[in-house]
Amino acid sequence: MRKFLAAALCLAATVTTAGCGASVESSGDAKSSSVGLTNCGRKVTYDKVPKRVVTNDVGITELMFALGLEDRMAGFAMPDDKGDLSGVPWKDGYDKVKWLSKDQLTKENVLDARADLVFAGWNYGFRDDSGFTPEALKKLGIPSYILTESCRNGRTKTSRGLMPPLDALYADLTNLGKLFGVEKRAATLIADFKKQIADVRANAPEGVERPKVFLYDSGQDQPFTSGRYAAPQQIISEAGGVNVMHDVADSWTTTGWESVVERDPDVIVICDYGDVSAEQKKKFLLSYAPLRNISAVKHRRIFVLDYVDLVESPRNPAAIARLGAYLRTTVE
């Protein structure tokens, strides 16, 4: 899941309170006393305001940029298949902050950056198999903050998601605002996001059945998709649709094609990233024999969103607006 929205989105102006030049309070005035937060259901205390944050992946990095916290960052890691960065709302952040790795963070590049906080998530940098975990970093004296969308929930060793995806976004913005002393900035972003989403909801047609939507990330033998705890769940629902995998108690996960066929989605949303292009994914879906009788394929209702739109990020409200406009055409 690695693709980056290349189009300028400052027309979705309220998304980019910091990135589009709005006046905000300076993060340099943040207090130096300890700060207590709740992260992934646990109380965490940070002894000081971080000054050299390292982030993993695009959505996480842009949460920092959206809050205007470039001056608190020592670098970020993300693959280099993110498209043209020159037109993104937070171009200044990408210009100012060092690109540490075009893969994922490692202990080595975190130490080289002299990081005093690592902001990443499970499957967004933190992985048991690589040994890059909050516990391992703690042994090195480096605190962590875990992306709330990715929090493990105890259903299995790897199941993720503690709360609805947009609540996760708001929780992280609120926590980061408190940690860095930019509470007003965070509150403004959250209020703007909620207004954008409310506007989409207000434009939804009344008295019609909501279209069923399947999120296709990748995979041919088995599709990788979104359960109810990943960002697409609420992106789809707030846009006016129903995620056909809403009953799956996980975030990003694998399912079977038979489940997709049984649920007969009206629309398929492609997550665009990586080496397999959105057009290649679309060709596969339209030509894959088991899907030939589902409504989305018969009517060629396939919509593309970028990776950064579909993981927890400040791009989520704009993605809801675009998908909402598309879904309205399926029910008119």
Side-chain angles (χ1 to χ4, degrees):
M1 306 186 306
R2 296 291 184 270
K3 178 67 182 171
F4 190 50
L5 183 61
L9 291 178
C10 279
L11 291 176
T14 55
V15 178
T16 57
T17 303
C20 291
S23 177
V24 293
E25 76 269 32
S26 171
S27 63
D29 296 332
K31 296 178 181 179
S32 59
S33 57
S34 64
V35 177
L37 305 174
T38 299
N39 183 213
C40 291
R42 297 180 179 180
K43 298 291 185 180
V44 183
T45 299
Y46 298 90
D47 294 333
K48 60 181 180 179
V49 178
K51 296 181 178 180
R52 298 190 61 80
V53 182
V54 169
T55 57
N56 188 90
D57 209 31
V58 56
I60 293 169
T61 301
E62 291 196 358
L63 286 173
M64 294 290 290
F65 290 167
L67 287 167
L69 295 172
E70 299 94 324
D71 62 320
R72 295 283 175 167
M73 295 179 65
F76 63 88
M78 67 182 188
D80 59 0
D81 58 353
K82 302 304 178 185
D84 181 8
L85 298 180
S86 62
V88 301
W90 298 284
K91 179 180 180 297
D92 287 348
Y94 286 109
D95 288 343
K96 293 176 182 177
V97 181
K98 186 175 181 179
W99 197 334
L100 298 175
S101 170
K102 295 187 177 181
D103 191 6
Q104 298 191 69
L105 288 178
T106 64
K107 294 176 187 176
E108 290 73 23
N109 50 40
V110 167
L111 289 170
D112 286 346
R114 295 182 289 112
D116 59 5
L117 179 75
V118 172
F119 180 13
W122 290 109
N123 288 24
Y124 300 95
F126 292 137
R127 293 179 180 271
D128 289 316
D129 57 4
S130 68
F132 190 79
T133 65
E135 292 75 16
L137 291 170
K138 185 177 181 180
K139 292 178 180 178
L140 297 173
I142 303 171
S144 301
Y145 184 86
I146 302 171
L147 184 76
T148 297
E149 181 195 330
S150 77
C151 294
R152 289 178 172 173
N153 53 42
R155 281 185 293 271
T156 68
K157 291 182 178 180
T158 58
S159 293
R160 293 171 291 159
L162 293 172
M163 62 184 70
L166 290 175
D167 288 353
L169 172 65
Y170 304 149
D172 286 335
L173 288 171
T174 299
N175 276 345
L176 293 170
K178 183 178 180 182
L179 177 59
F180 291 97
V182 291
E183 293 96 333
K184 290 182 181 179
R185 193 179 307 170
T188 298
L189 279 173
I190 293 169
D192 289 342
F193 289 166
K194 289 182 175 179
K195 183 180 185 302
Q196 288 182 68
I197 295 166
D199 289 344
V200 176
R201 196 183 303 121
N203 288 324
E206 298 181 1
V208 297
E209 188 173 353
R210 293 161 69 95
K212 296 177 292 182
V213 181
F214 173 63
L215 187 284
Y216 177 64
D217 175 278
S218 58
Q220 296 192 359
D221 294 336
Q222 288 184 302
F224 195 65
T225 187
S226 165
R228 69 170 176 261
Y229 291 120
Q233 167 71 18
Q234 274 190 296
I235 290 171
I236 292 167
S237 63
E238 295 288 2
V242 177
N243 176 16
V244 297
M245 298 299 168
H246 66 89
D247 58 332
V248 177
D250 204 343
S251 58
W252 294 94
T253 189
T254 300
T255 188
W257 286 116
E258 62 276 7
S259 295
V260 181
V261 173
E262 288 171 3
R263 298 171 192 214
D264 189 21
D266 301 299
V267 173
I268 297 174
V269 173
I270 289 175
C271 179
D272 186 13
Y273 75 96
D275 295 332
V276 181
S277 69
E279 187 60 32
Q280 289 172 312
K281 292 179 183 181
K282 182 176 180 179
K283 287 180 179 178
F284 164 72
L285 293 168
L286 293 175
S287 63
Y288 188 51
L291 300 181
R292 63 181 177 273
N293 290 321
I294 68 170
S295 179
V297 170
K298 285 193 295 185
H299 298 285
R300 303 178 73 89
R301 295 191 188 116
I302 297 179
F303 189 72
V304 178
L305 288 172
D306 277 331
Y307 168 81
V308 69
D309 296 322
L310 291 166
V311 297
E312 183 191 321
S313 82
R315 305 290 184 95
N316 296 155
I320 289 168
R322 295 199 307 281
L323 179 58
Y326 178 81
L327 292 182
R328 286 195 293 274
T329 69
T330 72
V331 296
E332 291 176 351

